[in-house]
Amino acid sequence: GGEFLAELLRTPADLKAARGLLEPLCFAIAARRNEQEFSDAIRLVATIEDRALQVACLRGMRTSFGISVAIPLSNDAKITLKSLTGSDDADVRSVAQLLVRMMMLESPAEREVRLDQAKTQSADASLNADTRLAAINELSTEDDPAIAPALLASLSSATPVLHEAILNAIFSRR
């Protein structure tokens, strides 16, 4: 798996039809939960310049997790994956954040900072709708009693699309 991924990503521009193999291949690598192979794959995926390929690989890894579970990774791979949560690309950032949460890699303090930032972004009318929607979607996947009131507070400055996302997030909470 990991060697095949490295071979495919050696020349990303030549992938063509093989692009469709990346997501299931990364799923398989992550599903095996082999520390070395998974760590190597994360480090390799972080070096991809094509953001669509990076998202496909991260999404494959992410979908291998049905529930949050602590997975052994090298420290370098943990740092690398966490660095992707700060990507300029919203899709990379979003999938990386989900993967970090599913792998239980963030500390309680890091989680609190992330949630506070998402709460602030969800309510900030000066931000574009995509940024606010990403923050709302992030909050909708969390289990924290402070999220529902924060989402309700965001309603007053929400566009119709954001309004719907907020209500869906609130009513889908357990």
Side-chain angles (χ1 to χ4, degrees):
E3 291 174 9
F4 187 45
L5 178 64
E7 186 61 34
L8 285 174
L9 294 177
R10 189 175 322 278
T11 53
D14 297 337
L15 279 175
K16 296 181 177 99
R19 290 175 81 94
L21 295 174
L22 290 177
E23 191 168 334
L25 179 59
C26 288
F27 175 95
I29 291 168
R32 279 195 287 273
R33 309 292 196 252
N34 176 290
E35 179 178 350
Q36 186 62 49
E37 182 183 38
F38 199 6
S39 294
D40 290 346
I42 288 170
R43 286 191 300 271
L44 181 61
V45 167
T47 66
I48 302 170
E49 291 183 20
D50 182 327
R51 296 300 170 235
L53 292 179
Q54 204 171 42
V55 168
C57 290
L58 291 170
R59 192 174 41 239
M61 292 174 181
R62 161 55 193 101
T63 56
S64 75
F65 294 89
I67 59 169
S68 295
V69 60
I71 299 296
L73 287 179
S74 69
N75 284 335
D76 187 42
K78 289 177 186 178
I79 292 167
T80 300
L81 183 56
K82 284 183 176 182
S83 75
L84 291 174
T85 66
S87 172
D88 291 338
D89 184 279
D91 293 331
V92 170
R93 184 176 56 251
S94 175
V95 178
Q97 287 171 343
L98 283 170
L99 193 52
V100 165
R101 287 197 313 258
M102 293 304 290
M103 295 174 66
M104 303 170 76
L105 295 179
E106 66 184 350
S107 69
E110 289 169 327
R111 180 177 182 269
E112 185 176 337
V113 167
R114 179 179 53 77
L115 290 179
D116 286 347
Q117 180 182 11
K119 287 183 228 173
T120 299
Q121 288 178 341
S122 72
D124 188 344
S126 70
L127 295 175
N128 67 49
D130 289 339
T131 301
R132 292 183 70 192
L133 185 58
I136 292 163
N137 289 337
E138 182 176 342
L139 292 171
S140 73
T141 65
E142 291 289 336
D143 183 26
D144 187 301
I147 291 175
L151 288 170
L152 284 171
S154 300
L155 277 172
S156 64
S157 64
T159 64
V161 170
L162 296 176
H163 193 268
E164 182 178 346
I166 290 167
L167 292 177
N168 285 338
I170 291 170
F171 290 115
S172 68
R173 299 182 62 73
R174 297 176 214 187

